[in-house]
Structures are given as structure tokens and as C-alpha cells.
Amino acid sequence: MRNLLITLLTATCSVAVGQSSLKPKISAGADAIEKKVVSWRRDFHENPELGNLEYRTSKIVADHLRSLGIDVQEKVGVTGVVGILKGGKPGPVVALRADMDGLPVTERVDVPFKSKVMTEYNGQKTGVMHACGHDSHVAILMGVAEILSSIKSELAGTVKFIFQPAEEGVYDPKLLKNGKSGAELMVMEGVMENPKVDAIFGLHISSVTEAGKIGYRPGATMAAVDQLGIKIKGKQTHGANPWLGIDPIVTASQIVLGLQTIVSRNVNITENPAIVTVGAIHGGIRQNIIPESLEMIGTIRTFAPDQRQLVHKRINEIATHIATSAGAVAEVKIDTGYPVTYNDPALTEKMIGTLEGIAGKENVIVQAVQTGAEDFSFFQQKVPGLFFFLGGMPKGQTNPAPHHTPDFYIDESGFTLGIKSLAGLTVDYFEMNAPKTVEAKPGKGRKKSK
């Protein structure tokens, strides 16, 4: 019996020590691979691809994963790539995610790897640019895959690497499958199953967070996003005789102002913020003609289901009633987009110590909610997830360019922290959720003495 207990205790301790010993290996591996990760990132940056057109990017990713001995699935969610790395010991399944697509933005940053790619988007000629840092995400996760595959035999669990297309939306509507894109489609196609994922981690590089720092928030972290469309039908007339028609332009102006009262007067902003933005108005063709109709499009950001429902309701009421008061008709259409990016509080509490241990407690900061949106939220609807922000702003910079702009710039010195963080979260989660050793009951299996 004594020997059995010693054996069990030794086995239990060996798991804990084995996992702890992986941290120095991960740290050394991340430092050693830094130049390779930067090179990958610059290549992706110079050759950006829009949503569901990431053919070159996904091939590079798939080839790299195969070279590491990782099982690869391609064309998941149109152009997505999934790699499965089974550790040498039993344990839970952790998913790590990177998005791959660029944006229809013409780059102005003067770097040797500046994007010169051009395309046509919504009928307009434009450049294509990684203006949100997805090139960084792909390169970082490729680095994580290389490091974890090198210690495969010591991993007590399975890692699922998710390289996701179309986080920014689909370039061509004809590429949509089942009316879905990006993370939602990958989930529909079973990316969180076979093997079933237990937890998921992801990061987003930030041009407004200093390199070397990490930002996070428990609970609601990024907004739910919906698309707004309003069509106003009036009555066309000569611009010199407005009383003979019904002016949809004046009506639209009143609706825009009316929509602002939703946030200022209907939403309890002490609990959660909300945003209603009209981004474009299209109508009319000549200076002296009041048009028959026009269309408005915009975006809605909310942080709670009941708040989302309220905002949708008030948009419809304000637009239709103002139009009716002018003698016009307003048709409101709201397309539901990404849900709230929600960091599971229990998982966040358990894992934040990992990030603090890697980056230093003083460099891990609780941030305010972000009104941007992320389809990482679709993965978090299936399993507990933690999504955090990785600093990419050069130290000392005071006026960094925001995301989705031609001047967006990332300091690559923060990449190793991203690699260490994702890999560290993985092995620590494995350790925290390792299968428990069952202790044999005294006398069980022994012959009864006569």
C-alpha cells in the first residue's frame, strides 16, 4: 500500500513539474523564433488578401503546420485552416485563434514591406492593407504552433490552431455560404468539435497600447455590432417648388438627429454604452431636383441583449414616425452581426495570473470596454474564452494612428510577448485541468486472507 501511494504521488508531481518546466522552453523558443515571426508578418503585410480570398495566406499557413507534423484541415469556412496537435499525454482541448484577412485601405506608411496591392471594392478602386494587424496574429500563431509542436510529447492535452478568414466581412457576397462568414461559418462547420474544444484563447494586436503591455477585461469586452439600413420614400419635385413634393433629404436629416437621442435619452449609459452611427447617405442626382427617395446606412454597437433589443426598437420607432410626420415613408432594416465579445469571468480569473507572470503584473491592465466588434464572440458562445489585447504601439509615442486607417502601424517588438502568452495560457490550462489520478482504495484487489 505504501509503495502504491508513493507511486501515485510521484506520478501526480511529475505532471505538475513537467508542465512548469515547459515555461522556460517556451520563453527560449519565442526569443529564438522572433526573427522568423517578423519575417512572416512582413510577407503577409506586403501581400494582404480580403475576406474569403486569403488563398495565398492559408496555403502558407497549411504548409507550415504540415511541416511541423500537425494534422491539417483546409477550406474550413471557405478559406480557413485548422491544425490539430495531439500532445503526448491525455488532457483537455485548447483552441487558439488568429484571423487572416486585410481591409480595403490604401497604405500610407513608408516601410519596405508596404502593401501595393490594389483591388475594386464596392465599385471603387482601392488599395488592400493589413490595417488592423491580422498579419501579426497569423505570424504569432504560426510561431506558437512551431514551439508547441517541438514539445509535443510533453503536452498534456490537444491544441487546435484556428486560422480564420473574413473577420472583417466577406469581400464578395457570392463567397458567402449559408449567409454566414468568418468565425460564425467555421463554428457552423464544426470547428469547435472533433475533438471538442474546452476553452479558447485569442489576442488582438493594438496600435494604441504600448508594446510590452497586455490589456484585458472580464465579461463584456467588445461590442455587439449590427448593420442599419433605412430607405426613405418621398415625392420628387423641382428644387424651386419644394411644397409640391415630399423631401426625403430633409426627412433623413431629422432622422439622423433623432437617432442620437437613443443614446442620450433612452440607454442607461451608466451600465453599458451604446452607439448609433449613420455612416452614409445616398440620394439625389442634381442640385435643383428634390429626389423621390434616398438610402441611409450605419452601424449599431451595444453590450447587452436587452440593450440591443431596446436600441433596435427605438431606431424603428424614430425613423418611421419622423418619416410619417413629413408625409414620407421609412423602411428600416437591421441585420444582426457579431454578438458581444465576452470573456468568461471564471476562466479570466484563473488565467490572468499566467499573463501577469509572463508580462509582469504591472504590464497587465484592465481596460475599458471597446466599442469595436470581434467575431471571436461566436467561438465564445460555444465554450469559455479569453480574448486580450497585445501592445503594438512604439514606446513613447503619443499620437498613434488608429486601426482601419492608412497610417496604421505596429511595433513588432511585442510579438514575442504574444507568442509566450498564447503558449503559456495553453500549457497552464492543461496543468490546471489535467485528468485526476484515481487513488486505489485500501485492500481493493487483494486476496482475502484465510
Side-chain angles (χ1 to χ4, degrees), residues 27-323:
S27 182
D31 292 336
I33 205 174
E34 180 182 17
K35 289 183 179 179
K36 187 186 288 190
V37 171
V38 168
S39 178
W40 285 329
R41 182 261 169 165
R42 293 184 178 185
D43 177 65
F44 293 138
H45 190 88
E46 194 171 1
N47 299 277
E49 297 169 300
L50 294 175
N52 281 157
L53 292 178
E54 307 94 338
Y55 302 115
R56 179 182 183 275
T57 304
S58 60
K59 183 179 186 306
I60 292 172
V61 168
D63 289 348
H64 176 64
L65 296 181
R66 285 197 183 94
S67 75
L68 302 174
I70 295 173
D71 293 335
V72 175
Q73 302 168 6
E74 295 183 80
K75 298 181 181 179
V76 183
V78 183
T79 46
V81 178
V82 178
I84 299 175
L85 176 66
K86 295 181 180 179
K89 305 171 187 177
V93 179
V94 166
L96 304 174
R97 174 270 206 166
D99 38 9
M100 303 188 293
D101 54 326
L103 286 158
V105 174
T106 303
E107 184 164 15
R108 280 199 298 249
V109 183
D110 187 17
V111 292
F113 48 94
K114 175 180 179 179
S115 170
K116 298 179 179 65
V117 177
M118 300 295 294
T119 192
E120 188 173 294
Y121 186 85
N122 281 346
Q124 300 180 50
K125 189 175 182 181
T126 180
V128 182
M129 177 189 175
H130 272 294
C132 202
H134 296 185
D135 51 345
S136 306
H137 305 166
V138 177
I140 287 170
L141 191 55
M142 287 172 66
V144 173
E146 184 159 330
I147 291 171
L148 292 182
S149 65
S150 71
I151 53 175
K152 173 182 176 179
S153 63
E154 300 175 75
L155 296 178
T158 297
V159 189
K160 184 173 284 191
F161 300 96
I162 300 175
F163 291 86
Q164 178 211 310
E167 192 280 327
E168 303 287 0
V170 176
Y171 164 74
D172 185 345
K174 294 192 292 292
L175 295 172
L176 278 169
K177 292 175 67 178
N178 303 319
K180 309 296 181 185
S181 64
E184 185 175 14
L185 183 55
M186 292 191 86
V187 169
M188 289 175 61
E189 293 186 2
V191 74
M192 305 300 281
E193 307 295 332
N194 301 317
K196 182 174 174 55
V197 174
D198 294 297
I200 185 165
F201 301 108
L203 60 75
H204 203 302
I205 197 84
S206 171
S207 70
V208 297
T209 301
E210 189 175 78
K213 296 187 181 297
I214 288 174
Y216 78 101
R217 185 175 188 82
T221 299
M222 299 184 76
V225 58
D226 302 312
Q227 292 77 45
L228 168 64
I230 302 175
K231 185 173 183 178
I232 302 172
K233 296 180 180 179
K235 181 180 179 182
Q236 187 162 320
T237 186
H238 196 297
N241 309 115
W243 54 87
L244 297 178
I246 298 173
D247 192 338
I249 294 177
V250 171
T251 304
S253 301
Q254 293 173 329
I255 290 174
V256 171
L257 293 175
L259 293 178
Q260 304 314 302
T261 66
I262 297 173
V263 175
S264 66
R265 291 296 178 269
N266 299 135
V267 171
N268 184 349
I269 57 174
T270 64
E271 294 180 355
N272 286 305
I275 290 175
V276 179
T277 293
V278 175
I281 299 178
H282 302 288
I285 195 171
R286 184 176 166 85
Q287 81 276 6
N288 63 349
I289 299 175
I290 293 174
E292 183 175 20
S293 63
L294 64 72
E295 294 186 9
M296 307 159 56
I297 55 174
T299 187
I300 306 163
R301 308 290 167 123
T302 52
F303 286 90
D306 55 343
Q307 181 194 57
R308 196 179 200 180
Q309 184 178 11
L310 168 67
V311 171
H312 289 191
K313 175 175 177 286
R314 290 298 293 139
I315 287 172
N316 189 74
E317 291 172 346
I318 288 169
T320 56
H321 292 168
I322 287 177

